[in-house]
Amino acid sequence: MTEGSVNADPAELAKFSELAHRWWDTESEFRPLHQINPLRLGWIEGMAPLQGKRVLDVGCGGGILADSMARRGAQVLGIDLATRALRVAQLHALETSTPNISYREVSVEALAAEQPGEYDVVTCMEMLEHVPDPASVVRACATLAKPGGMVFFSTIHRNPKAFLFAIVGAEYVLNLLPRGTHEYLKFIRPSELATYCRAAGLEWASTRGLQYNPLSRRYRLSSDTSVNYLVATRKAP
C-alpha cells in the first residue's frame, strides 16, 4: 500500500453503502450476518470475555457485531469507510439505546497510527476479502491491540470448494447473498492469513469453520475450515 492511499476498494464501499438501509432487516441481504452473529459472538467471548473490555470492530458495516459486543458489557468502537452503513449503525444505536458504543469513519491504518496498543480485543470479520491489501489490515489490527490482547478475523478460503459454496451456491443458487458480493481471487487461504499474522506479531490461537445447512437453513461452527473460517490470534505480551 502506498503512503497516503486508503486501503479500500471504492466499488466495495459503494456496494455496501447502497444496501445500507437494509442492514438491520433480518430478512434482507444481511440475513446471513444476523444468523451467524450469535455464533461468532459466543466464540469471541469464549476466547476473550468482553465485560469491561475496550473493543474495536474493524469494518463494522451497519454494526451488527459491534452492537452485540457492546450489549455484552464491552466499550466498543466500530470503524468503517462506508459512510451510509456507518450512519445506519449510529442510528440503530440511538434508536435502541445501545450502551458504550461509538462509530468512526476512519481506516484501520489511520487509527493504528493514532491509537496504538489501545484495545483489549480487535475484531475484523468478513472484511479481509474485500480490501486490496489484507496484510496491511492485519498489521494495523495487531498494532491497535494491547500486548497480550486478542485479535479475531473471519474470511473465506480460496479453493474450488469455496468457489462452489461461497459464490455459486450462496450468491446464485440459494440467493443468500447479492450476486457479486465476493470475488474469488480475493479469498484468502489460511496459510496466507497465518503468514500475515506471524509477520504482524500475532500468535495463531484457534481456528473454527463456519458451515451452512441449506435444508435447515442454519449455520454452525465446526472444524471444517475449507470454506468460511474464523481465526483467533494473540498479540505477544
Side-chain angles (χ1 to χ4, degrees), residues 1-229:
M1 200 176 77
T2 59
E3 188 173 350
S5 66
V6 175
N7 186 20
D9 182 339
E12 294 286 345
L13 295 180
K15 184 168 29 182
F16 289 104
S17 286
E18 188 63 31
L19 296 167
H21 63 291
R22 299 176 65 85
W23 271 98
W24 286 94
D25 179 351
T26 57
E27 295 303 318
S28 74
E29 297 90 339
F30 297 104
R31 183 173 184 263
L33 285 183
H34 288 280
Q35 288 186 309
I36 69 173
N37 195 56
L39 295 174
R40 61 186 184 176
L41 176 65
W43 182 70
I44 290 166
E45 189 155 44
M47 301 285 295
L50 296 169
Q51 178 70 40
K53 297 292 177 61
R54 193 166 182 203
V55 177
L56 174 69
D57 187 25
V58 178
C60 65
I64 295 170
L65 176 61
D67 194 274
S68 63
M69 291 192 294
R71 291 180 182 278
R72 290 293 177 93
Q75 180 79 39
V76 180
L77 172 64
I79 66 169
D80 207 300
L81 292 173
T83 307
R84 290 176 63 190
L86 269 185
R87 287 178 182 155
V88 168
Q90 290 166 329
L91 181 61
H92 182 269
L94 284 172
E95 288 178 340
T96 59
S97 300
T98 305
N100 305 317
I101 195 163
S102 58
Y103 294 99
R104 282 183 61 185
E105 185 174 336
V106 62
S107 73
V108 66
E109 290 89 355
L111 192 68
E114 178 188 320
Q115 297 182 357
E118 290 288 320
Y119 294 90
D120 300 293
V121 175
V122 179
T123 60
C124 181
M125 318 301 270
E126 289 85 45
M127 177 186 157
L128 291 178
E129 69 273 20
H130 295 288
V131 298
D133 186 356
S136 174
V137 173
V138 173
R139 282 195 303 273
C141 288
T143 299
L144 284 152
K146 293 178 179 178
M150 296 294 294
V151 183
F152 296 89
F153 301 102
S154 69
T155 189
I156 306 175
H157 204 310
R158 190 174 70 255
N159 59 34
K161 180 180 177 182
F163 176 80
L164 184 63
F165 280 67
I167 294 182
V168 177
E171 296 182 20
Y172 290 85
V173 178
L174 300 173
N175 294 313
L176 297 173
L177 299 168
R179 295 182 182 186
T181 296
H182 293 114
E183 295 178 41
Y184 175 71
L185 292 179
K186 289 186 175 180
F187 289 176
I188 301 168
R189 295 187 178 109
S191 59
E192 294 168 339
L193 182 52
T195 298
Y196 302 155
C197 289
R198 276 195 303 272
L202 296 174
E203 173 191 344
W204 198 273
S206 179
T207 310
R208 297 292 283 162
L210 182 68
Q211 291 182 293
Y212 179 73
N213 183 328
L215 297 179
S216 65
R217 300 181 71 196
R218 292 184 179 277
Y219 291 85
R220 68 182 180 92
L221 295 180
S222 75
S223 59
D224 183 355
T225 59
S226 59
V227 183
N228 296 277
Y229 65 98

